[in-house]
Amino acid sequence: MSATRSRVITITTILLVIAGLAGGLTAVLHAARGGGTDNATHRPGRGAQPEDLAQEVADYTSRFGPSHGYRQPGRADRTAIAQAIGLLVDGHRAQAELLLSERDFTVRTIRDRVSGHRYAEVADRTDDAVTPRGWGRVYMDLDHTPRFSIQVPHPVFDEGTEQLGVRVLRDSPGGILVIAGAHRKAGVGNSADVAHRQDTVFYAICAELVRRKMPGIQLHGFAASTAPGYDVVASSGAGSAGRSDAGRLADALGTHGFHVCRAWVRKCPVEGYTNAEGRAADAADVPFLHIELAPEVRLGGSAAERAATAMSEITHRWATAPVTT
């Protein structure tokens, strides 16, 4: 009897030790994935390995190409992903992670070695699959309160805009970089042209941020022959709420040596009046800037740095004096 009791105690002890080790391992794995909690004092990813955000984005978009890599999202997918981004903005990371996981998205924290800032990366698990859905990616500043969005609807197609978006994100506190997940020509018809459709994850996320009164700047590229004599076409899209900011940006770009066509002053090409995200911002009376850039401005080098610096003057203003209309 004593021997039997001893064996029972020994087995119970072993099982308790195994359970404890399993719980500890689960916590470690969760932390390694950048997992967070809803506790405002929790700072996930503080010890994250430094990464180059620009290279992360370059690696991501390097797979984009026309005629493949996009699947139309359903309404439930769009709604859930946008709602999860809203939860992240509000600091409810655990709830956001759960909702995103149900839609095959992941959240991890990265620390950019260039800016030193931490960002929450929201990524589609199918990005590495043979047939990716192409629903996009989000980088959210974790070191400052989110105040504005930087939107890149046509990565690769509008070459260099994704890297320009990274530059502006690095330069300004409180930014949320929203990058479309596929080449503009990847879908059937114009289904992957997220700047002109409302049935995309990209639009749903931007609309959620507009609902929270966050201004946005959307980056595009035009061919040199489209607007001869101009380096940039600046517009406030369908609305006028961003017109004063558009004027400030045009002035800043001019100070940095760029020739700017101001769409509210004269007729310019590619003015962005039919832009879907711009129309959502107009309906909510939220500032929206539609910026078209010539190839020499967005393809790296000092011109891209000067353009990013000019745009960051506006996003800095949004960060320190957010619009609350």
Side-chain angles (χ1 to χ4, degrees):
M1 187 72 173
S2 176
T4 300
R5 184 182 296 111
S6 177
R7 283 196 299 271
V8 170
I9 292 172
T10 300
I11 292 170
T12 301
T13 301
I14 292 172
L15 290 174
L16 287 172
V17 170
I18 291 173
L21 289 172
L25 180 59
T26 299
V28 169
L29 290 173
H30 183 65
R33 289 192 299 265
T37 73
D38 288 355
N39 186 341
T41 62
H42 182 70
R43 301 180 65 80
R46 175 56 62 189
Q49 187 71 21
E51 300 180 47
D52 185 337
L53 180 59
Q55 188 60 53
E56 286 289 315
V57 171
D59 291 344
Y60 170 54
T61 59
S62 66
R63 295 166 289 201
F64 292 4
S67 304
H68 71 277
Y70 186 73
R71 191 175 84 203
Q72 193 79 29
R75 181 187 297 273
D77 294 316
R78 303 194 305 267
T79 300
I81 294 167
Q83 181 183 351
I85 296 300
L87 288 168
L88 273 179
V89 169
D90 292 339
H92 304 308
R93 178 160 172 162
Q95 294 178 40
E97 286 182 339
L98 179 60
L99 193 56
L100 286 165
S101 179
E102 292 171 353
R103 302 294 164 175
D104 264 345
F105 270 74
T106 63
V107 184
R108 71 179 182 119
T109 298
I110 69 170
R111 181 157 56 90
D112 178 37
R113 67 165 56 97
V114 174
S115 66
H117 296 159
R118 298 174 311 123
Y119 299 98
E121 178 193 79
V122 180
D124 188 341
R125 284 196 184 101
T126 73
D127 286 342
D128 297 321
V130 176
T131 56
R133 298 180 298 190
W135 290 358
R137 186 170 288 193
V138 174
Y139 290 94
M140 184 182 300
D141 187 349
L142 291 175
D143 293 328
H144 306 88
T145 301
R147 298 292 189 191
F148 63 90
S149 69
I150 309 156
Q151 304 168 16
V152 181
H154 300 144
V156 179
F157 182 87
D158 287 347
E159 189 179 2
T161 52
E162 61 273 16
Q163 289 300 320
L164 199 56
V166 171
R167 284 184 168 96
V168 178
L169 181 67
R170 282 171 165 169
D171 287 350
S172 307
I176 300 175
L177 176 60
V178 187
I179 306 175
H183 191 280
R184 182 178 183 173
K185 301 293 187 180
V188 176
N190 75 332
S191 61
D193 182 2
V194 300
H196 297 99
R197 297 184 66 106
Q198 296 183 357
D199 56 353
T200 68
V201 171
F202 184 93
Y203 175 86
I205 291 171
C206 292
E208 175 67 21
L209 300 180
V210 161
R211 190 178 70 80
R212 294 162 181 276
K213 300 299 182 182
M214 290 190 188
I217 182 168
Q218 190 171 109
L219 306 180
H220 292 262
F222 64 83
S225 59
T226 300
Y230 290 107
D231 303 305
V232 182
V233 176
S235 168
S236 57
S240 59
R243 189 154 298 171
S244 59
D245 287 323
R248 293 185 185 94
L249 176 56
D251 290 343
L253 288 163
T255 299
H256 285 277
F258 298 111
H259 297 288
V260 183
C261 188
R262 304 174 186 233
W264 60 95
V265 174
R266 60 177 56 85
K267 179 65 178 175
C268 302
V270 290
E271 295 168 319
Y273 294 150
T274 62
N275 184 276
E277 291 75 35
R279 289 184 170 183
D282 177 42
D285 198 31
V286 171
F288 173 83
L289 301 182
H290 183 279
I291 309 301
E292 294 268 359
L293 304 117
E296 61 270 18
V297 180
R298 54 189 156 84
L299 293 180
S302 63
E305 291 293 346
R306 287 184 285 117
T309 298
M311 287 186 276
S312 295
E313 292 183 27
I314 306 306
T315 54
H316 264 284
R317 181 177 180 275
W318 287 343
T320 56
V323 175
T324 56
T325 56

